[in-house]
Amino acid sequence: MSTKDGPQASRRGPYAKSAERRRAILTAAHAVFAAHGYRGGSLQDVANHAGMSQTSLLHYFPSKSDLLLAVLNWRDSITGDGTAPPDPEESLADAVLRQARFNEDVPGVLELYTVLCGEAVTEGHPGRDYFTERFDRLRRSYARQLAQLAGEGRLRPGVDPDTAAASLIALWDGIQTQWLLAPGSVDMAGCLRAYLDLVLLPEEDQERASAGAPPLAPLG
Amino acid sequence: MSTKDGPQASRRGPYAKSAERRRAILTAAHAVFAAHGYRGGSLQDVANHAGMSQTSLLHYFPSKSDLLLAVLNWRDSITGDGTAPPDPEESLADAVLRQARFNEDVPGVLELYTVLCGEAVTEGHPGRDYFTERFDRLRRSYARQLAQLAGEGRLRPGVDPDTAAASLIALWDGIQTQWLLAPGSVDMAGCLRAYLDLVLLPEEDQERASAGAPPLAPLG
């Protein structure tokens, strides 16, 4: 690290330093909230972890709930928030499986998500709106993609895009929890792939579907 | 309530009183842990909620983790722990849907489950072993039932009983979380039913399946 004047030093001026400290706080808050939850982790724990006073921390994030929302948004920037428009070159199944495999390399991020999402179902939790809106947005996004596949004859007849969208997200969250508890016994990507194999038709079956393959008969 | 001597008074002797106090503590701990999580809720909160001193509480449950495990076991006694042998008169699908509809009437119990299960993925959480063992037991129980259905030609060809067991549990947990956040937008029983419709064959399709219907083709 240079301490001389010049372009490098100017990049480490007050703005760069502020950005660095914000990042240090977010890293600390991520670790503390993932280990103890939002309610169990204190601002003092986060300040200690970041190596600064609580007063300094509050200069960057005026309240604990501001810090929580910043951590959640930071998480989205790592794993994606599900709102990016689908890559036209990549199928829905490929995108889901690519993300699921990526997630296996960031267990700490999944842990944070699982702990905070669990807490957020309680009344008055400051992350409740974030998670409610996130699920709403994801359900709409996947339902839109599945409805488009239905229009192309790629959805198994009888599958409802809205139900399949909510179910895909649910299965994904639930299997992450099982995987975090027993990574050697649970195949996250395998379960997601098996679900997508049930819901989507392979390309060669398109014509059969559009020619009127029998819909799924409901169970008695 | 009689205060006279006699059979009724003897039932309210020291043992009955002890059972009543344990139940009062469990009810209080259920409320506190559901609202604040295990790490966020203190023994003092539970004692206050139960209207007794923390010292009295510790007489019944020697530690906070003992209390947590007692609450989790109590929850199982309300919603079932998934280990009861399946009723031979009731199909797997009917049992799942009956339980899912029952759960809609006990949102507080689902909330406790969701908060504690989320927390339990963290290292050193005293509920971690409980949830790890619970998922392991449930996966084995559903896999066994699904394998039996496969033997009867009731499983869609290509569906793996172990994968479907883990996926059913995952979908169920995940859809509960979405439902707790937005009960008006999410149909828990509908999503479970749709999944079971995908995995199981209606009885009239049994012969087709055993006669060699084409297995699910994997996605490209």
Side-chain angles (χ1 to χ4, degrees):
Chain A
M1 293 277 176
S2 169
T3 53
K4 287 180 204 154
D5 283 349
Q8 198 171 3
S10 70
R11 278 205 306 276
R12 294 183 49 77
Y15 296 108
K17 194 178 160 209
S18 171
E20 260 174 37
R21 299 205 93 186
R22 286 178 67 88
R23 201 168 53 228
I25 296 167
L26 289 174
T27 306
H30 189 297
V32 168
F33 292 161
H36 305 290
Y38 171 77
R39 289 198 159 119
S42 70
L43 278 183
Q44 189 60 56
D45 292 336
V46 176
N48 293 346
H49 209 279
M52 67 179 67
S53 70
Q54 198 174 320
T55 311
S56 299
L57 187 157
L58 290 168
H59 172 74
Y60 294 96
F61 298 96
S63 73
K64 194 177 168 193
S65 58
D66 287 323
L67 182 56
L68 174 72
L69 294 175
V71 168
L72 289 169
N73 288 322
W74 190 47
R75 189 203 74 90
D76 285 340
S77 71
I78 298 172
T79 61
D81 66 352
T83 57
D87 177 349
E89 297 292 309
E90 190 178 36
S91 73
L92 169 64
D94 286 345
V96 167
L97 296 174
R98 179 178 49 73
Q99 182 70 49
R101 287 192 202 99
F102 171 80
N103 287 353
E104 290 185 16
D105 292 332
V106 289
V109 178
L110 297 196
E111 196 172 302
L112 178 87
Y113 172 86
T114 302
V115 172
L116 294 180
C117 180
E119 269 188 328
V121 303
T122 56
E123 276 305 316
H125 190 284
R128 188 175 168 115
D129 287 350
Y130 166 90
F131 282 103
T132 306
E133 285 158 19
R134 177 179 181 277
F135 283 124
D136 191 49
R137 197 171 60 228
L138 282 176
R139 281 193 297 263
R140 279 187 279 113
S141 169
Y142 283 122
R144 202 162 40 232
Q145 293 177 65
L146 289 164
Q148 192 182 329
L149 286 166
E152 295 164 10
R154 292 285 318 280
L155 209 59
R156 186 176 298 275
V159 169
D160 171 58
D162 292 328
T163 303
S167 300
L168 173 63
I169 300 159
L171 198 162
W172 198 337
D173 281 352
I175 206 69
Q176 275 184 184
T177 303
Q178 291 183 47
W179 179 81
L180 285 167
L181 290 168
S185 310
V186 174
D187 179 2
M188 277 201 287
C191 285
L192 286 164
R193 185 183 187 93
Y195 181 71
L196 292 166
D197 282 349
L198 282 168
V199 166
L200 304 177
L201 294 175
E203 300 215 17
E204 60 265 36
D205 284 6
Q206 277 180 51
E207 283 174 36
R208 203 181 62 182
S210 52
L216 285 170
L219 293 167
Chain B
M1 295 275 175
S2 169
T3 53
K4 286 181 207 156
D5 284 347
Q8 200 171 2
S10 71
R11 278 205 306 276
R12 293 183 49 79
Y15 296 107
K17 195 180 159 208
S18 169
E20 259 174 40
R21 299 206 92 185
R22 287 179 65 90
R23 201 168 53 228
I25 295 166
L26 289 174
T27 306
H30 188 298
V32 169
F33 292 160
H36 304 290
Y38 172 77
R39 289 197 160 119
S42 70
L43 278 183
Q44 189 59 56
D45 292 337
V46 176
N48 293 346
H49 209 279
M52 65 179 69
S53 71
Q54 197 174 321
T55 310
S56 298
L57 187 155
L58 289 169
H59 172 72
Y60 294 96
F61 298 96
S63 73
K64 196 177 168 192
S65 58
D66 287 323
L67 182 56
L68 175 72
L69 294 176
V71 168
L72 288 169
N73 288 322
W74 190 48
R75 189 203 74 91
D76 286 340
S77 72
I78 299 172
T79 61
D81 66 353
T83 56
D87 177 349
E89 297 291 309
E90 190 178 37
S91 73
L92 168 66
D94 286 345
V96 166
L97 296 174
R98 180 179 47 74
Q99 181 70 51
R101 288 192 201 98
F102 171 80
N103 287 353
E104 290 185 16
D105 292 331
V106 288
V109 179
L110 297 196
E111 197 172 302
L112 177 87
Y113 172 85
T114 302
V115 171
L116 294 180
C117 180
E119 270 188 328
V121 303
T122 57
E123 276 304 317
H125 190 284
R128 187 174 168 117
D129 287 350
Y130 167 90
F131 281 103
T132 305
E133 284 158 20
R134 176 180 182 275
F135 282 124
D136 191 49
R137 198 171 60 228
L138 283 176
R139 280 193 297 263
R140 279 187 281 115
S141 169
Y142 282 122
R144 203 162 40 233
Q145 293 177 66
L146 288 164
Q148 191 182 330
L149 287 165
E152 294 164 9
R154 291 286 318 280
L155 209 59
R156 185 175 298 275
V159 169
D160 171 59
D162 292 329
T163 303
S167 300
L168 172 63
I169 300 159
L171 197 162
W172 198 337
D173 281 352
I175 207 68
Q176 275 184 187
T177 303
Q178 291 183 46
W179 180 79
L180 285 166
L181 289 167
S185 309
V186 174
D187 178 1
M188 278 202 287
C191 286
L192 285 165
R193 186 184 186 93
Y195 181 71
L196 292 166
D197 283 349
L198 281 168
V199 165
L200 304 177
L201 294 174
E203 301 216 15
E204 60 265 35
D205 284 6
Q206 278 181 50
E207 282 175 36
R208 202 181 64 184
S210 51
L216 285 170
L219 293 166

